Amino acid sequence: MGRKEYSAGAVKMSFWFIEFRKVAQLLHDGKNMDEIKALAQNENIFAAPTALRSNQIYSTVAGRIRSLDQSFIPFFLSGDLATQKLYALIAAMAYDTLFFDFVYEVIREKLIVGNNELTDSDVRVFFKDKQQQNEKVAGWTDATLVRLGRCYKTMLYEAGIIDKSKTVRTILKPIFDPELSRWLEQNDMAIYEKALTGVK
């Protein structure tokens, strides 16, 4: 898998799990992406407040789904809620390189050393390191980085990976369904399970 350039686009994004599940179901029912896009525009299937937001949801969710091999759909639809959320989270990580790096370099490292606390300073240190390593990130404002950090925490919370505490979040190590682990292995994506479970 080629690494995409870092992007701050996540500041406008959400986890959009319900929407992700809706698109996966429509694909499973035989619709294609163009037809789903038309449904989003004409019938507001995502119940978005504006047409602009509907387009944003569609393009993000479609991008995330395209980041996975389409063989995931039947496994996703037959999985329990926790497993479905892991598929959606992995799709978000596959779609957004910086978010993947955050999970891999912060969450995974914490779990490896047996520390299950995520603090605001962890988030700040991650972005400071990235600013030193990457010119594009170096150009982003502090406000953008704060919003990105907030977005990452929201997505991890909605996926069930961290709790909702105000200051220090507890990291909740997910239990991977064997079918999901096997699917990741077969699609050269085992690194995503390692990132979320703290495996070296």
Side-chain angles (χ1 to χ4, degrees):
M1 278 172 47
R3 278 172 66 81
K4 292 197 288 236
E5 253 197 61
Y6 284 155
S7 157
V11 294
K12 298 195 287 285
M13 293 173 198
S14 242
F15 188 43
W16 286 325
F17 171 67
I18 306 291
E19 294 81 355
F20 184 92
R21 189 161 59 185
K22 185 166 280 180
V23 173
Q25 184 66 59
L26 287 166
L27 288 168
H28 185 67
D29 294 345
K31 293 264 189 284
N32 64 35
M33 283 297 194
D34 288 338
E35 290 169 321
I36 295 168
K37 186 177 189 175
L39 285 171
Q41 288 169 341
N42 304 328
E43 295 179 30
N44 195 15
I45 54 168
F46 302 131
T50 63
L52 181 70
R53 193 62 169 167
S54 181
N55 278 338
Q56 215 168 45
I57 295 169
Y58 168 78
S59 66
T60 304
V61 171
R64 288 175 184 172
I65 283 178
R66 286 191 185 108
S67 301
L68 303 181
D69 185 274
Q70 299 302 282
S71 62
F72 90 93
I73 291 173
F75 295 119
F76 168 79
L77 291 172
S78 64
D80 62 18
L81 184 62
T83 298
Q84 288 189 341
K85 286 185 173 183
L86 283 173
Y87 272 109
L89 181 65
I90 289 163
M93 289 162 63
Y95 181 66
D96 184 332
T97 307
L98 188 58
F99 180 47
F100 169 80
D101 284 358
F102 177 77
V103 176
Y104 193 79
E105 293 170 25
V106 181
I107 303 294
R108 174 177 158 273
E109 291 293 330
K110 294 250 172 196
L111 289 168
I112 286 173
V113 298
N115 175 352
N116 68 344
E117 292 187 343
L118 177 68
T119 65
D120 288 344
S121 72
D122 294 324
V123 181
R124 280 196 299 273
V125 167
F126 170 77
F127 284 126
K128 187 162 267 168
D129 287 348
K130 289 296 168 203
Q131 286 189 304
Q132 285 164 355
Q133 296 161 13
N134 185 288
E135 273 181 28
K136 191 174 179 185
V137 183
W140 296 344
T141 64
D142 288 348
T144 295
L145 296 175
V146 167
R147 284 174 65 196
L148 261 185
R150 200 178 301 139
C151 168
Y152 290 176
K153 285 187 288 192
T154 301
M155 291 209 284
L156 289 169
Y157 164 67
E158 289 184 11
I161 304 298
I162 58 175
D163 74 358
K164 205 183 168 143
S165 316
K166 274 280 179 270
T167 46
V168 177
R169 308 286 193 111
T170 301
I171 301 169
L172 311 162
K173 183 173 165 179
I175 293 165
F176 272 67
D177 179 281
E179 213 166 53
L180 170 53
S181 299
R182 204 164 36 246
W183 184 86
L184 289 169
E185 191 72 53
Q186 285 166 352
N187 287 278
D188 297 326
M189 292 180 78
I191 193 167
Y192 290 85
E193 182 170 357
K194 289 178 177 169
L196 287 161
T197 55
V199 174
K200 284 190 166 141

